Amino acid sequence: MGARLAFASGWHEEAWLKRTLLAVSAASLTAGALAWFTDRPDPSAWLWGVGTAIILASLVTEIGISLGRGEFGLDLIAALAMGGALFLGEYFAGIIIAMMFTGGEALEDFAQRRARHELTALLDRVPRTAARFTGKQFEEVAIEEIEPGDRILVRSGEVLPVDGRLAGDSAMLDESALTGEALPVLRRSGEYLMSGSINPGNPFEMVASRIANESTYAGIARLVEAAKTAKAPMSRLADRYALCFLAVTLLLAAIAWALSGQATRALAVLVVATPCPLILAVPVALISGVSRCAGKGILVKGGGALEMLARARTVMLDKTGTITDGQARLLETKIRNDRAPEEVLRLAASIDQGSRHVVACALVAAARERGLVLLSASDLRDFSGSGITGCIEGRQIAVGGWDFIRPIVDDDDFSREIEIWIRREGTIAVAIAENGVLAGAFLLADEVRPEAGTVLRQLREAGAQRIVLATGDRADIAESLASFLGVDNIVAEMKPEDKTRLVESEKATAPVMMVGDGVNDAPALAAADVGVAMGARGAAASAEAADVVILVDRLDRLVSAVHIAQRSRRIALQSIYTGMGLSFVGMVAAAVGYLSPVEGALVQEAIDVIAILNALRALGHPLRLWGQREHLSQQELIELEAEHRNLMSVVDEIRHTTERIQHLSGPEVRERLAQLDALLRERLLPHERHDDCVLYPLLRQRLGASHALAGMSRTHMEIRRQVHHLTSLRQAIASTKPNREQLYEIQRLLHGLEAIVRLHFAQEQEIYRAFERSS
C-alpha cells in the first residue's frame, strides 16, 4: 500500500510541475503579446525572453537529472531550439517553442492518464478496513488484521476486502472491475467470492479464506503496478531510433545553416523536429491496449507483454481448467424406475450441502441450476471425502462414491446395472441410497468448454501457426480431445518440468504463448515468451508467473486479448510511420526556408497532436463500417445462455423417459409419454419457435445476410417434426399395450431427439458467443 501511495504522490507532483510550467509559458506569451500590441516592443521581448528562459532552465535541470540516471532524452532538441532562439534574439519564436513544449508535456500527461484510466480505477478501489465479528459484535479493523476463518460483514456499497466464501443464502455482487462482466452476478451459499467485488445489494456475511495480501485484489494491485512501469520492447526500440533521429536533426540543421548562411533556418529545423511519435505515441498506444484489456477482465503486465501477445505464433494450452472447465459438471443420471429423477437429485444435493468436497459442490450447483429447492438435513456425518450421510424428513440418505455406497445397498439387478453404467472413461460417479435402497447414480465430468472450438479457430485466424495441447493426463484421454479439437500436436503425461522443456523447444521456431491455470503450469508460464493464466479459479502461483491474467472464467477472452494487442501494435506502428514521415517533411521544408521558427513550432505541435490522438485510438473499439455486423451485448448473451440452462431439465427428461419406458406397464408408458409430449410442447417448442421467428431474423439483420443460419432453422424443423412423430406414436398406442417393436421405435426416436437438441444447443451457444463483441 505504501508503494502505491508513494507512486501516486510522485505522479501528482510531476503533473503539478507540468501544469505550472504551462501556466508560466502561457502567461509570458499573453503578457508579451499585450505589450507588443500596445507598441511597447522592448517589454514584450523581455517578457517572452524571461518566459523562455524559465522553461529552458527547468528543461536543462530535467535533462541533467536524466543524464545522472544514465538516461539520454530527446528533450535536448527542444533545449537547443529554445537556447538558439534566445541566442539569436528570436524571443517570440522562443516563447512559442516553450509554449509548444509545455503544451506537449500537458498533452502527454493527459494521454497517459487517459490511457491508464482502467488500471488506475482498479487501484482506487482498494479497501482499507472491514467489519469483523469478534464473538459478540462486529468491529471495524484494518484489512491486514483479517485471518482465514474470520466472519466478515459486507455492507451495501462496500468492496470485499479479502477472498472468502459466502456464509448467507445468496448475494448479488458487482464483479465488473475484476472480470469486465457488466451485470451483477448472483452468488449462493458456499460459493467463492473475490476481493475487489462490490456489494450493490443487501448486507451479507462471508468467511475469509485468505489474508488480504494473498487475496485476489492485492495480487491484482501488484500486477497493475508492474503493468504501469513495464517498458515494451517496441518502446526501447523506439528510444534507439530516436537517438538516430537526433543525429539526423542536428546534421540537417547544420547543413541548412552552412548552405544558406542563415542561422534561423537551423533554428526552424530544430523547432519542427519532433520525436513524439517515437518516444510518446508508442507507449501511449500500448498502455491504452493494456488499459482496454483491464476493462474486459484481462490484466496484462505492461506494454511488453501486450506486444509479445500480438507477436506469438505458437500457442500451448494446458487441458484441465483451460480447455476444460476445471470443475466437475453433471452429465447424466440413472434413477430407479419408481423414483422421480429431480427428486433424487434434490435429496442428494440437500445432503451434499454439508460437504465441501468439489464433487458435492458440483451436485449442489447442478440442483440449483435446475431450480430445485434444497431441504435441510440433520445428523450429517462426513466420511473424509468418501461420502456423507444424513437424515431428511425421517429418511436415511447416503451419498458418495460407489465404493462407499455399494456395501450398504442390496445386490439386485439395478445395483449391478449401475456398477456397469458408471465405468465410463473420464467421469466421476456418485451414487445415492435411501433407507438402504439404491435410488440412483450420477455421472460427472470436467467437460470441454463450449467456446473451445471457436477460440482455437479464431486464434488461427489471428495468426497462430501452431497449437499444442500439453497435459498431465493419460495419452488416450488427451488423444480423444485432440480428435475433435483440431490441434497440431498433443503431448500427454507431462510433469511441470516436461512442460517447461516443451516450451523451450517450441521457442526455437516461433514466439510461444503458454496458457494454463494451475501451480504445475507456473514454470512453463514463466518460460514462455508470453504466459497467460486463467486466474478466475486458478492458482496464485500461475497468476504471479504469467504475463497476462484472465480474471473471468472464459477462454474466449484470450482471443479478445490477442485482438486488442494486435490492434494496439498496429496503431503504434501507424503513429511512428505517419508522425515521423510528417516530421521529416517539415524539417526539409524548414531547411529550404519554407517554414519560419514560429511556423515550425506550430507544425511540430500539430504533428504531436496527430500522433498522440492516433495512439489513443487503441482505447476504443475498431470503427464499424457500413454493412459490417453488429454484435450481441454481454447482457443479451447471458440471457440467451440462461434460456438453454433452464431447458436442460427438459432434455434430461427425454433421456429418463427413454430409459424407463421399457420397464413400465402399458398405461404407465402412455402416461409417461403424454407427460413428456406436453412438456416438449409447453417448453421446448415455444423456445425454438421464438428463436426462429424473433432471434434469428434479428441476427440475420445484424449479419446483413438473409440466408444466414439457414442450417439452424432446418434443425428447428427437424425438432418439430420429431416431436410431432412422438405424438403420432403415442396416439397409436392410446388404446393398446405397445409391443416390442413400437417401444423400440419410440426409444429410437427419443434417443435421436435428445442428441439433436443437445447438439443444437451447443451450436447455438457457439454462434451466440461468436456474435459477442470481442475486441
Side-chain angles (χ1 to χ4, degrees), residues 191-424:
E191 285 197 55
Y192 187 77
L193 309 179
M194 290 189 294
S195 58
S197 306
I198 294 179
N199 174 22
N202 297 323
F204 63 85
E205 294 182 21
M206 62 177 288
V207 178
S209 299
R210 295 177 178 175
I211 63 174
N213 198 44
E214 295 177 358
S215 291
T216 300
Y217 205 53
I220 290 173
R222 289 192 295 272
L223 300 179
V224 168
E225 291 294 358
K228 281 183 162 186
T229 56
K231 196 166 190 179
M234 185 184 287
S235 295
R236 291 192 291 269
L237 184 64
D239 288 346
R240 290 197 294 272
Y241 284 153
L243 293 176
C244 297
F245 177 76
L246 172 61
V248 171
T249 299
L250 296 177
L251 178 62
L252 187 59
I255 293 173
W257 190 355
L259 294 180
S260 68
Q262 300 176 20
T264 53
R265 289 198 184 184
L267 177 62
V269 171
L270 292 176
V271 169
V272 79
T274 171
C276 176
L278 275 174
I279 62 175
L280 182 57
V282 170
V284 165
L286 295 181
I287 203 66
S288 294
V290 170
S291 188
R292 184 152 174 251
C293 283
K296 283 183 161 289
I298 307 161
L299 192 55
V300 183
K301 299 180 187 178
L306 190 80
E307 185 183 347
M308 191 54 66
L309 196 62
R311 294 175 52 204
R313 291 296 174 263
T314 297
V315 180
M316 280 184 56
L317 298 157
D318 176 50
K319 183 183 81 71
T320 304
T322 303
I323 288 294
T324 66
D325 280 324
Q327 58 184 353
R329 293 188 181 276
L330 180 60
L331 287 184
E332 296 181 24
T333 61
K334 196 171 188 66
I335 307 300
R336 190 176 287 275
N337 291 331
D338 58 348
R339 302 302 307 273
E342 290 194 347
E343 176 62 19
V344 174
L345 176 59
R346 185 165 78 123
L347 288 175
S350 298
I351 291 292
D352 269 342
Q353 287 182 107
S355 173
R356 291 294 175 224
H357 193 279
V358 291
V359 177
C361 293
L363 269 186
V364 172
R368 284 176 170 157
E369 282 180 0
R370 288 158 175 76
L372 302 180
V373 179
L374 303 187
L375 306 171
S376 297
S378 59
D379 300 328
L380 289 171
R381 293 183 61 194
D382 197 341
F383 292 85
S384 302
S386 300
I388 186 171
T389 62
C391 184
I392 295 179
E393 298 176 346
R395 294 173 287 178
Q396 288 295 323
I397 308 296
V399 181
W402 182 243
D403 291 339
F404 177 76
I405 297 295
R406 182 68 185 88
I408 63 176
V409 299
D410 296 332
D411 184 15
D412 56 16
D413 291 342
F414 184 62
S415 65
R416 287 189 289 272
E417 184 181 352
I418 289 292
E419 190 166 13
I420 297 172
W421 180 74
I422 63 176
R423 294 173 184 169
R424 190 178 302 184

Side-chain angles (χ1 to χ4, degrees), residues 534-545:
M534 301 292 293
R537 292 193 307 265
S542 63
E544 293 288 346

Side-chain angles (χ1 to χ4, degrees), residues 657 661-662 664-674 677 725-747 750:
T657 301
I661 58 174
Q662 60 183 337
L664 301 178
S665 63
E668 289 173 331
V669 169
R670 289 192 290 272
E671 181 182 1
R672 186 74 181 180
L673 291 177
D677 196 3
H725 191 194
L726 174 63
T727 304
S728 301
L729 291 175
R730 183 176 64 81
Q731 292 173 346
I733 60 171
S735 57
T736 61
K737 180 180 179 179
N739 57 39
R740 188 172 180 177
E741 287 74 16
Q742 288 174 317
L743 280 179
Y744 173 79
E745 179 62 21
I746 292 171
Q747 286 180 305
L750 293 179

